[in-house]
Amino acid sequence: MQLVVEVVDARNLVAKDGEGSSNPFVEIAFDNQRIRTKTVHKDLNPVWNQKLIFHLSDTKNLQSHSIDVIVYHERNSYPGRDSLGKVTILGSNIVREQEEGLQIYSLQKKWIFSNVKGNIRLKIYISAEQESLPISGSTTSTYLQNTVVSHTATTAAGSNNETITATKESEKVTFDTPKHINKQQVLSQQTQVSVKQEPKGVPLTMHQSSPQAHPGHQEGYSLKDTSPHLGERWPAGGHGGAWISGNKLTSTYDLVEQMHYLYVRVVKAKDLPLNSITGRCDPYVQVRLGNYKGTTKQFEKKHNPEWNQVFAFSKDKIQSSFVEVFVKDKEMIGRDDYFGKVPIDLTEVPTRVPPDSPLAPQWYRLENRRGDKVNGELMLAVWMGTQADEAFPEAWHSDASHVHGEGVFNIRSKVYVSPKLWYIRVNVIEAHDLHPNNKGRNPEAVVKAQIGNQVLKTKICPTRTTNPHWNEDLVFVAAEPFEESLVLTVEDQVQQTKDHVLGKVSLPLSKFEKRMDHRPVDSQWFNLEKFGISILEGNQRKELKFSSRIHLRVCLEGAYHVLDESTLYASDLRPTARQLWKPPIGILEVGILGAQALAKDTRRTTDAYCVAKYGQKWVRTRTIIDSSSPKWNEQYTWEVYDPCTVITIGVFDNCHLGSSEKPTGQDLIKDSRIGKVRIRLSTIETDRIYTHSYPLIVLNQSGVKKMGELQLAVRFTCLSLANMIYLYSHPLLPKMHYIHPFTVSQLEHLRVHAMNIVAVRLRRAEPPLRKEVVEYMLDVDSHMWSMRRSKANFFRIVSVMSGVTAITRWFGDVRYWKNPMTSVLVHVLLLILIWYPELILPTLFLYMFAIGIWNFRFRARHPPHMDTKLSWTEALHPEDLDEEFDTFPTSRPQYDVQMRYDRLRSVAGRIQTVVGDVATQGERFQSLLTWRDPRATSLFTIFCLCAAVVFYVTPFKLVALIAGLYVLRHPRFRSKLPSVSSNFFKRMPARVDSMF
């Protein structure tokens, strides 16, 4: 006989990992047998669907036994587990297999002070059948000699659930052929060791399998620790990080793995001979190392050319002991002919390590095929170095030898600087002496202001006059150096779609004052361009010349921070004016090591590069050609002015190398996204090296997809701890954002223009940082609505409110005496606080202090990363994805738009109902004293008078004691009907009666 306990799932478990979640598993004890399920990671509503099978020797004594079901949280940071609740089931409640039924059990506390909530669903029954699985091939019992029930279990996995069989401690697991046995899986607290079925004739062996994760939190979506060899000083330690000790000396490239290169600098040549066929000299140089060939540019009719070009060959791919430098002519292309060559033995090449000075080039005589010296000399410098060499970024690389032409510029690493952005405030005050085109008509004047492609208009002057007055602010974004002018046009709105120009003026932005605070700048009058107005005098038409004026106050706002990225992921919060900058509080260093298993189209190769953005500094690594596991090993540094900022690192596939495999056509070519990583500096500890592998996850129309992993080494060095702590008491943005704030719509409108300006300026760099890259890094589409984001934000609110809900539920259990011991303790605490009210605030703060200290053990050990579950990408409907990736305005058929509109109305209707309910409760509260209901207000005012008298003559301690005891009274003294105060409040009138 067997006792089968089928663990189905659990709901609403307590969060124990310090990040709002838990890693639950279930352990069941019965008759000296102990067995556990798999661990479900990061889930408060886990689903197991596992059968745990216990040997049952005697069913007659079953009533004297009990089943202990305990739910545990498995710790990630260090070995161990925490209780999430337990259930004890008496043997008398166990049924036969035919009578099995799904039962829901509420979790109880294992200890008095345990924090427990939720329930678990189980099926418990007695079965006479053996859960078995045929095994073919020879097996042995030596692999599982130490398998005892107290620490291990055996698992049989089915298609939809798993069966785990337990034995007693004295029993061993043996295998015989060809009998039927259970599938075996040995589970420990950290790993699962399972017996896998081998092909026929192969012994049964054991292997390690990774813990089963939640469907939306597969192992591939989690952060992984790495241990790279960082330089020669920094071996990254356990748990993805190492600490900096005081005797460590930093170096330029101490956060990346060293890569060694052979560098060949071709400087110039002299006294080259003429080509015997053409009678001229059109020289170029070819550097050859094994199968790798690098070529300089060509010169025409030059005997003494200068190239000054560097070639870099990876040491790992050196296939020869000599490097040969050939001097050739244009006519020799494609032929094995040359003027002369310089062979260099690699064993004689010196090694250079920065900060050593660059190696001085030397003159080498050219040799012919026989090794004889010929006319001509070549100046070369050859040395072994690393990626820290200053020649590395501009060098020709052997791993990109087939890239030619413009593609060479698109594979080099570069550093970019965002343009300096200014807000331009144009205060349009008034205009004088406007003259309409229609005589005798007072104009309906409006001012149109334009900077580049930004156009804003004032409101129409309320009075029709030739001297209109507006006093309205128009705000623009411009980049320094200023290339556009402020163009102001005064128009007369004759009809809804027809305007007459009454005057125009163009003003360069450089002439306006730069304001550093909130003090107003001086206003100025500007003459509008003169317009000729023809009038009829007698039989002759006469043209009049006149000049109108406009009164403006224009300034460049230097005390604001121009937002070109979302405030949620801001990497820079400094004001525009450099005079207002504070000194940096730290240094951020990022080593971009490499990537693993980058996804690629079967018709294309992957030519990956990284872009990192923090503050005004953008960096771009070199492109690694045709590799799904590229190694960049490039290190970059930023100054940090605020710890509450985010660095963004994106990985892209370079589609601008001129390869025939990539799409053609300038309008079609775009660098495709591989993934993005964000790291908030305030979530990482200072002076520590973090080495992790981050999952690269993208969301497209087919769903969420892992595109690979990005390996980074990050270090945040604190320069001044006092200044860093001081910043936490200051507002996030410069104070001008609070003294003269912009509206939300204004900020969003200005942010779009700021992003466009940054994209245009960076696209003009060489090599260009393309628009699709900049928009992806700046989250240009973050403001667009999607059903997925709405769901994610809703459940974020639910998660935030779960603590309040848990406290409310706990207090309800106390009030209804679900746990008498807890209710008695709360009564004791109430009496103490009533008698000593001065202890209320100290007790509250001490309790919060204790919670903080307790949660220190469960603090996050890793930086945050993209979370597919939090983003609600696990079970998306294809329609939601299609709607999210639709263009704006929409490009979908009318039927799809109509269906989406109807769904949006449905969702908005529910939101509208909730908002209306909240408004109704507020209006009922207001109506208590507004005499909307004369009788109710009369009763409430009389009650207030009586309450004032009672509270005046009654000590406050007595009132608080009576109120507390009334709230905590035993359920036998409660009524199931609502209270009098609740009934009275719900009868209050609300303004909903006056709505259509």
PDB file of all heavy atoms in Angstrom, residues 531-547:
ATOM      1  N   PHE A 531       6.037  95.476 -44.348  1.00  0.00           N
ATOM      2  CA  PHE A 531       5.201  94.942 -45.402  1.00  0.00           C
ATOM      3  C   PHE A 531       4.551  96.101 -46.150  1.00  0.00           C
ATOM      4  O   PHE A 531       4.129  97.111 -45.553  1.00  0.00           O
ATOM      5  CB  PHE A 531       4.112  94.020 -44.838  1.00  0.00           C
ATOM      6  CG  PHE A 531       4.635  92.666 -44.465  1.00  0.00           C
ATOM      7  CD1 PHE A 531       5.281  92.467 -43.257  1.00  0.00           C
ATOM      8  CD2 PHE A 531       4.508  91.608 -45.333  1.00  0.00           C
ATOM      9  CE1 PHE A 531       5.770  91.231 -42.915  1.00  0.00           C
ATOM     10  CE2 PHE A 531       4.999  90.363 -45.000  1.00  0.00           C
ATOM     11  CZ  PHE A 531       5.629  90.170 -43.786  1.00  0.00           C
ATOM     12  N   GLY A 532       4.477  95.965 -47.458  1.00  0.00           N
ATOM     13  CA  GLY A 532       3.844  97.009 -48.259  1.00  0.00           C
ATOM     14  C   GLY A 532       2.350  96.822 -48.319  1.00  0.00           C
ATOM     15  O   GLY A 532       1.858  95.753 -48.662  1.00  0.00           O
ATOM     16  N   ILE A 533       1.603  97.887 -48.011  1.00  0.00           N
ATOM     17  CA  ILE A 533       0.145  97.861 -48.075  1.00  0.00           C
ATOM     18  C   ILE A 533      -0.287  98.878 -49.126  1.00  0.00           C
ATOM     19  O   ILE A 533       0.078 100.057 -49.053  1.00  0.00           O
ATOM     20  CB  ILE A 533      -0.491  98.209 -46.717  1.00  0.00           C
ATOM     21  CG1 ILE A 533       0.050  97.260 -45.628  1.00  0.00           C
ATOM     22  CG2 ILE A 533      -1.993  98.134 -46.799  1.00  0.00           C
ATOM     23  CD1 ILE A 533      -0.284  95.823 -45.867  1.00  0.00           C
ATOM     24  N   SER A 534      -0.993  98.390 -50.080  1.00  0.00           N
ATOM     25  CA  SER A 534      -1.437  99.298 -51.153  1.00  0.00           C
ATOM     26  C   SER A 534      -2.843  99.805 -50.860  1.00  0.00           C
ATOM     27  O   SER A 534      -3.725  99.033 -50.503  1.00  0.00           O
ATOM     28  CB  SER A 534      -1.402  98.579 -52.506  1.00  0.00           C
ATOM     29  OG  SER A 534      -2.237  97.440 -52.480  1.00  0.00           O
ATOM     30  N   ILE A 535      -3.037 101.137 -51.011  1.00  0.00           N
ATOM     31  CA  ILE A 535      -4.353 101.743 -50.824  1.00  0.00           C
ATOM     32  C   ILE A 535      -4.687 102.530 -52.083  1.00  0.00           C
ATOM     33  O   ILE A 535      -3.807 102.939 -52.855  1.00  0.00           O
ATOM     34  CB  ILE A 535      -4.370 102.655 -49.585  1.00  0.00           C
ATOM     35  CG1 ILE A 535      -3.358 103.781 -49.750  1.00  0.00           C
ATOM     36  CG2 ILE A 535      -4.078 101.844 -48.325  1.00  0.00           C
ATOM     37  CD1 ILE A 535      -3.420 104.806 -48.651  1.00  0.00           C
ATOM     38  N   LEU A 536      -5.961 102.739 -52.289  1.00  0.00           N
ATOM     39  CA  LEU A 536      -6.445 103.415 -53.503  1.00  0.00           C
ATOM     40  C   LEU A 536      -6.796 104.849 -53.160  1.00  0.00           C
ATOM     41  O   LEU A 536      -7.651 105.127 -52.328  1.00  0.00           O
ATOM     42  CB  LEU A 536      -7.671 102.674 -54.059  1.00  0.00           C
ATOM     43  CG  LEU A 536      -8.186 103.138 -55.426  1.00  0.00           C
ATOM     44  CD1 LEU A 536      -7.116 102.922 -56.501  1.00  0.00           C
ATOM     45  CD2 LEU A 536      -9.472 102.409 -55.802  1.00  0.00           C
ATOM     46  N   GLU A 537      -6.082 105.836 -53.783  1.00  0.00           N
ATOM     47  CA  GLU A 537      -6.367 107.256 -53.611  1.00  0.00           C
ATOM     48  C   GLU A 537      -6.752 107.816 -54.983  1.00  0.00           C
ATOM     49  O   GLU A 537      -5.899 107.975 -55.868  1.00  0.00           O
ATOM     50  CB  GLU A 537      -5.141 107.993 -53.062  1.00  0.00           C
ATOM     51  CG  GLU A 537      -4.814 107.643 -51.627  1.00  0.00           C
ATOM     52  CD  GLU A 537      -3.692 108.494 -51.092  1.00  0.00           C
ATOM     53  OE1 GLU A 537      -3.157 109.303 -51.884  1.00  0.00           O
ATOM     54  OE2 GLU A 537      -3.356 108.360 -49.901  1.00  0.00           O
ATOM     55  N   GLY A 538      -8.042 108.089 -55.128  1.00  0.00           N
ATOM     56  CA  GLY A 538      -8.555 108.538 -56.436  1.00  0.00           C
ATOM     57  C   GLY A 538      -8.498 107.381 -57.420  1.00  0.00           C
ATOM     58  O   GLY A 538      -9.017 106.301 -57.165  1.00  0.00           O
ATOM     59  N   ASN A 539      -7.840 107.616 -58.570  1.00  0.00           N
ATOM     60  CA  ASN A 539      -7.671 106.560 -59.557  1.00  0.00           C
ATOM     61  C   ASN A 539      -6.294 105.926 -59.501  1.00  0.00           C
ATOM     62  O   ASN A 539      -5.914 105.186 -60.397  1.00  0.00           O
ATOM     63  CB  ASN A 539      -7.888 107.130 -60.972  1.00  0.00           C
ATOM     64  CG  ASN A 539      -9.317 107.602 -61.163  1.00  0.00           C
ATOM     65  OD1 ASN A 539     -10.234 107.028 -60.562  1.00  0.00           O
ATOM     66  ND2 ASN A 539      -9.518 108.641 -61.969  1.00  0.00           N
ATOM     67  N   GLN A 540      -5.529 106.233 -58.445  1.00  0.00           N
ATOM     68  CA  GLN A 540      -4.147 105.763 -58.354  1.00  0.00           C
ATOM     69  C   GLN A 540      -3.937 104.952 -57.072  1.00  0.00           C
ATOM     70  O   GLN A 540      -4.400 105.334 -56.001  1.00  0.00           O
ATOM     71  CB  GLN A 540      -3.213 106.987 -58.363  1.00  0.00           C
ATOM     72  CG  GLN A 540      -1.766 106.627 -58.655  1.00  0.00           C
ATOM     73  CD  GLN A 540      -0.923 107.878 -58.836  1.00  0.00           C
ATOM     74  OE1 GLN A 540      -1.322 108.951 -58.397  1.00  0.00           O
ATOM     75  NE2 GLN A 540       0.211 107.751 -59.491  1.00  0.00           N
ATOM     76  N   ARG A 541      -3.254 103.776 -57.211  1.00  0.00           N
ATOM     77  CA  ARG A 541      -2.977 102.914 -56.047  1.00  0.00           C
ATOM     78  C   ARG A 541      -1.618 103.285 -55.489  1.00  0.00           C
ATOM     79  O   ARG A 541      -0.614 103.311 -56.195  1.00  0.00           O
ATOM     80  CB  ARG A 541      -3.001 101.446 -56.465  1.00  0.00           C
ATOM     81  CG  ARG A 541      -2.835 100.478 -55.299  1.00  0.00           C
ATOM     82  CD  ARG A 541      -3.136  99.071 -55.745  1.00  0.00           C
ATOM     83  NE  ARG A 541      -4.539  98.904 -56.077  1.00  0.00           N
ATOM     84  CZ  ARG A 541      -5.499  98.632 -55.201  1.00  0.00           C
ATOM     85  NH1 ARG A 541      -5.196  98.534 -53.914  1.00  0.00           N
ATOM     86  NH2 ARG A 541      -6.742  98.465 -55.587  1.00  0.00           N
ATOM     87  N   LYS A 542      -1.568 103.537 -54.183  1.00  0.00           N
ATOM     88  CA  LYS A 542      -0.348 103.983 -53.515  1.00  0.00           C
ATOM     89  C   LYS A 542       0.058 102.961 -52.452  1.00  0.00           C
ATOM     90  O   LYS A 542      -0.778 102.469 -51.711  1.00  0.00           O
ATOM     91  CB  LYS A 542      -0.591 105.361 -52.870  1.00  0.00           C
ATOM     92  CG  LYS A 542       0.654 105.951 -52.226  1.00  0.00           C
ATOM     93  CD  LYS A 542       0.337 107.309 -51.629  1.00  0.00           C
ATOM     94  CE  LYS A 542       1.558 107.915 -50.972  1.00  0.00           C
ATOM     95  NZ  LYS A 542       1.265 109.219 -50.355  1.00  0.00           N
ATOM     96  N   GLU A 543       1.355 102.653 -52.429  1.00  0.00           N
ATOM     97  CA  GLU A 543       1.884 101.660 -51.487  1.00  0.00           C
ATOM     98  C   GLU A 543       2.489 102.355 -50.272  1.00  0.00           C
ATOM     99  O   GLU A 543       3.287 103.281 -50.413  1.00  0.00           O
ATOM    100  CB  GLU A 543       2.951 100.799 -52.164  1.00  0.00           C
ATOM    101  CG  GLU A 543       3.416  99.640 -51.302  1.00  0.00           C
ATOM    102  CD  GLU A 543       4.328  98.696 -52.048  1.00  0.00           C
ATOM    103  OE1 GLU A 543       4.373  98.774 -53.291  1.00  0.00           O
ATOM    104  OE2 GLU A 543       5.003  97.891 -51.391  1.00  0.00           O
ATOM    105  N   LEU A 544       2.066 101.912 -49.099  1.00  0.00           N
ATOM    106  CA  LEU A 544       2.560 102.486 -47.850  1.00  0.00           C
ATOM    107  C   LEU A 544       3.554 101.528 -47.195  1.00  0.00           C
ATOM    108  O   LEU A 544       3.364 100.311 -47.186  1.00  0.00           O
ATOM    109  CB  LEU A 544       1.399 102.740 -46.875  1.00  0.00           C
ATOM    110  CG  LEU A 544       0.341 103.739 -47.333  1.00  0.00           C
ATOM    111  CD1 LEU A 544      -0.773 103.821 -46.289  1.00  0.00           C
ATOM    112  CD2 LEU A 544       0.964 105.113 -47.539  1.00  0.00           C
ATOM    113  N   LYS A 545       4.626 102.066 -46.663  1.00  0.00           N
ATOM    114  CA  LYS A 545       5.612 101.280 -45.919  1.00  0.00           C
ATOM    115  C   LYS A 545       5.516 101.648 -44.444  1.00  0.00           C
ATOM    116  O   LYS A 545       5.503 102.821 -44.100  1.00  0.00           O
ATOM    117  CB  LYS A 545       7.025 101.581 -46.420  1.00  0.00           C
ATOM    118  CG  LYS A 545       7.313 101.111 -47.837  1.00  0.00           C
ATOM    119  CD  LYS A 545       7.466  99.602 -47.879  1.00  0.00           C
ATOM    120  CE  LYS A 545       7.915  99.168 -49.274  1.00  0.00           C
ATOM    121  NZ  LYS A 545       8.124  97.719 -49.336  1.00  0.00           N
ATOM    122  N   PHE A 546       5.444 100.609 -43.584  1.00  0.00           N
ATOM    123  CA  PHE A 546       5.380 100.878 -42.159  1.00  0.00           C
ATOM    124  C   PHE A 546       6.039  99.711 -41.420  1.00  0.00           C
ATOM    125  O   PHE A 546       6.325  98.676 -42.003  1.00  0.00           O
ATOM    126  CB  PHE A 546       3.942 101.048 -41.688  1.00  0.00           C
ATOM    127  CG  PHE A 546       3.158  99.765 -41.705  1.00  0.00           C
ATOM    128  CD1 PHE A 546       3.022  99.008 -40.555  1.00  0.00           C
ATOM    129  CD2 PHE A 546       2.571  99.315 -42.883  1.00  0.00           C
ATOM    130  CE1 PHE A 546       2.319  97.818 -40.577  1.00  0.00           C
ATOM    131  CE2 PHE A 546       1.867  98.128 -42.898  1.00  0.00           C
ATOM    132  CZ  PHE A 546       1.733  97.387 -41.771  1.00  0.00           C
ATOM    133  N   SER A 547       6.278  99.921 -40.156  1.00  0.00           N
ATOM    134  CA  SER A 547       6.934  98.891 -39.342  1.00  0.00           C
ATOM    135  C   SER A 547       6.173  98.723 -38.044  1.00  0.00           C
ATOM    136  O   SER A 547       5.993  99.681 -37.293  1.00  0.00           O
ATOM    137  CB  SER A 547       8.388  99.273 -39.062  1.00  0.00           C
ATOM    138  OG  SER A 547       8.979  98.311 -38.224  1.00  0.00           O
TER     139      SER A 547
END
